[in-house]
Amino acid sequence: MVEDIATIVTSLGFPSVEAFIGAMFLVLAVVAVVVVVSTIKPVLNMFPYTYPNARVRARTGRLFTEKEFSEIVESQNIEEVKNYLRSVPDYAKYIDLYPLEKALDTQLAETYDLIARITPDNSKDVFKFLLKKWDIKNIKSIIIAKKANLSTEETLNWIVPFGGLTDKLDSLIEADTVTDVLNALEGTEYPKILEDAIPIYNETGLLLPLEASLDQYLLKNLLRASATPEDDNTSLLHNYIGTMIDAANIKVIIRAKADNLKYEDIEAYMISDGYQIREWKLKELMEAEDVAGVVNGLEGTDYAPMLSDAMTDYTETNSMASFENALDSHVSKTAKTISLKNQFGIGPIIGFLNRKENEVKNLKIIARGKREEGFSTSMIKEMLI
Amino acid sequence: MAGEIVLGTALAAIGAGVAVGMAGLGSGIGQGIAAAGSVGAVAEDPDMFARGIIFTALPETQAIYGFLIAILLLVFSGIMNPGVTISVASGIVAIGAGAAVGFAGLGSGMGQGITASSSVGAVVEEPDMFARGIIFTALSETQAIYGFLIAILLMVFGGILGT
């Protein structure tokens, strides 16, 4: 037997059985390395998301259920809503510190801040950029407050203590006029962003161009920041952000067409290059005659079926709510699909952020409904996302 | 001492190395993934500590199987028992045994780690998911058990154990 093996080994050109075994080991070792590397690689891609996903899923579990929302909506007044939120640790720490809307925004901003800190490096830049949302919200709140001659204390009620401008907030709030606020922004990136809108404001006194420039800067750069996907995770993040931007563009166009505005009136408020709705298509939609023309123009895109259904409601009620709800639902559906499709990657983060946004929006709707006269429980329920 | 080791014993030593190395690699990666998920869960909910430890400990078993086979190989091939020697053929069988438990442990450990991490996420989101999470996570154990059993059978019928 041993002689047979030795004969075979020698006939294969090996000087000894030991040499043959050595060569076999070398081959097996190479095969093993290939198997191990190809098996481990996809697993290691999941690894950076395990920690953030566990944290995000813990917070997803704390989001309000439909039953809990029903209980909040049934509250008799705003104080009962606040009492309910005091029993929820995430909101409790801000409820007694700030007015309700500010407390809700602050909790949301804290969530964004957490995500930007714990998210893996390949998507960190996008989430860090997303934090500018709070700078932009604060600048918009301050200029609106200055225009309305609100006091410093009243202005503070609308300021969210998060973002990159926290050190400058005091000087911005203490400015006397909108122009002083814009001057106080010197040294930040914002004067350059507002350079085209400031002359229009100086001429017309309208804040809308300033607000539109800030919103455009955020969305355009957010899309740009996610535009070169490194892998599946960043590609899905780009898909989600792109869908949000498309929905925002379509909302602006439909609202403008409902008010009979022309291409020249709308163009300045658009994010020039969307995701699925590219620049040429946006131009075509802005040139449409009316709302029906916009909806027909979207034929062949993901937005067509839902907007056609919403068109029926719009024809009956003349309310924009059906379009806005349809587009918001589409964004939420996209987030949900991504969260299910990519459970070991960025999916849970995107799914959670979308649901958290919706939760805060719903709480604000309830707060407003309870504060203002004439909103029944059923009316508030209908308005919830 | 090293000069007295015969080729069969040296091959068995490679088998032992593959057994503990590959199983440990899979177990380590799996446990790392489970631990990262558990740390995230505990950061949000300190009560998750005990459950996180349980899920993190599950991918440990693959390393234990690899370790046991490696010890058996070391003892019965003569490395840890100088009076014993095994043939070249048995040495090759020992490599097969090591590869069986090692590679099965590699796949099983990584798979179990992913499921354990996902289960930790599910439990921290919905505490009632604990028992179901354990069941799903335990499923990936079977591949490691197959590898372990085949390694034992190879050692028994390959002339290493019981000779």
Side-chain angles (χ1 to χ4, degrees), chain A residues 161-227:
Chain A
F162 274 91
L165 286 181
T166 40
D167 294 343
K168 263 194 170 292
L169 282 176
D170 286 344
S171 59
L172 293 174
I173 293 167
E174 279 161 17
D176 291 327
T177 63
V178 173
T179 311
D180 291 340
V181 173
L182 299 175
N183 291 335
L185 282 169
E186 216 47 64
T188 70
E189 68 211 275
Y190 295 100
K192 191 166 167 40
I193 295 155
L194 295 167
E195 66 185 1
D196 292 337
I198 289 172
I200 304 173
Y201 167 73
N202 289 336
E203 198 179 305
T204 62
L206 290 173
L207 292 179
L208 194 60
L210 296 173
E211 294 179 66
S213 297
L214 291 167
D215 288 338
Q216 272 186 334
Y217 167 72
L218 176 71
L219 294 176
K220 213 181 260 181
N221 285 286
L222 206 50
L223 192 65
R224 204 169 286 160
S226 65

Side-chain angles (χ1 to χ4, degrees), chain A residues 17-18 21 25 32 35-36 39-40 43-44 46-47 50-51 54-62 114 343-344 355, chain B residues 7 11 14 22 25 29 32-33 36-37 39-41 43-44 88 92 95 103 106 110 114 117-118 121-122 124-125:
Chain A
V17 174
E18 285 83 353
I21 291 171
F25 277 132
V35 169
V36 169
T39 312
I40 288 176
V43 176
L44 292 183
M46 294 174 194
F47 189 73
T50 50
Y51 174 81
R55 294 200 68 172
V56 155
R57 291 185 70 176
R59 287 176 179 240
T60 306
R62 299 204 293 263
L114 172 83
Q343 287 188 39
F344 298 113
R355 286 184 61 190
Chain B
L7 182 59
L11 293 176
I14 293 173
M22 289 297 171
L25 178 65
I29 291 174
I33 292 171
V39 168
E44 288 296 321
V88 172
I92 292 172
I95 293 174
F103 282 99
L106 174 70
M110 288 192 298
I114 295 166
S117 175
S118 195
V124 75
E125 187 176 337

Side-chain angles (χ1 to χ4, degrees), chain A residues 172-384:
Chain A
L172 293 174
I173 293 167
E174 279 161 17
D176 291 327
T177 63
V178 173
T179 311
D180 291 340
V181 173
L182 299 175
N183 291 335
L185 282 169
E186 216 47 64
T188 70
E189 68 211 275
Y190 295 100
K192 191 166 167 40
I193 295 155
L194 295 167
E195 66 185 1
D196 292 337
I198 289 172
I200 304 173
Y201 167 73
N202 289 336
E203 198 179 305
T204 62
L206 290 173
L207 292 179
L208 194 60
L210 296 173
E211 294 179 66
S213 297
L214 291 167
D215 288 338
Q216 272 186 334
Y217 167 72
L218 176 71
L219 294 176
K220 213 181 260 181
N221 285 286
L222 206 50
L223 192 65
R224 204 169 286 160
S226 65
T228 41
E230 289 172 25
D231 53 24
D232 274 0
N233 293 306
T234 41
S235 166
L236 288 167
L237 183 60
H238 182 59
N239 176 356
Y240 175 63
I241 289 168
T243 306
M244 277 196 321
I245 287 167
D246 279 351
N249 274 340
I250 296 171
K251 278 183 196 175
V252 171
I253 296 174
I254 290 180
R255 259 186 240 134
K257 288 298 157 189
D259 292 339
N260 292 318
L261 296 179
K262 301 284 175 216
Y263 173 84
E264 312 77 65
D265 306 318
I266 319 167
E267 196 196 1
Y269 303 101
M270 303 302 297
I271 314 303
S272 56
D273 206 3
Y275 175 64
Q276 206 181 118
I277 318 289
R278 307 312 294 251
E279 200 168 3
W280 64 271
K281 190 72 181 170
L282 285 172
K283 192 167 181 282
E284 193 182 297
L285 296 174
M286 285 187 278
E287 283 168 348
E289 279 298 308
D290 50 17
V291 175
V294 176
V295 174
N296 291 335
L298 286 165
E299 206 59 55
T301 68
D302 289 353
Y303 307 96
M306 83 200 72
L307 292 179
S308 297
D309 293 344
M311 187 68 204
T312 314
D313 288 343
Y314 173 72
T315 314
E316 286 168 14
T317 61
N318 213 25
S319 160
M320 298 303 298
S322 51
F323 288 118
E324 299 198 348
N325 291 344
L327 288 164
D328 287 340
S329 299
H330 180 70
V331 174
S332 297
K333 206 174 144 194
T334 305
K336 192 175 178 185
T337 308
I338 292 171
S339 72
L340 294 173
K341 194 174 155 187
N342 194 263
Q343 287 188 39
F344 298 113
I346 204 160
I349 297 176
I350 291 175
F352 166 69
L353 264 190
N354 181 265
R355 286 184 61 190
K356 183 74 191 176
E357 286 259 9
N358 287 346
E359 178 176 282
V360 169
K361 275 183 201 164
N362 281 340
L363 289 170
K364 283 184 181 174
I365 290 169
I366 296 170
R368 198 173 156 197
K370 295 295 166 190
R371 191 176 286 124
E372 290 178 15
E373 293 287 323
F375 278 98
S376 66
T377 301
S378 57
M379 280 167 77
I380 297 173
K381 275 184 182 168
E382 267 177 40
M383 290 161 73
L384 296 182

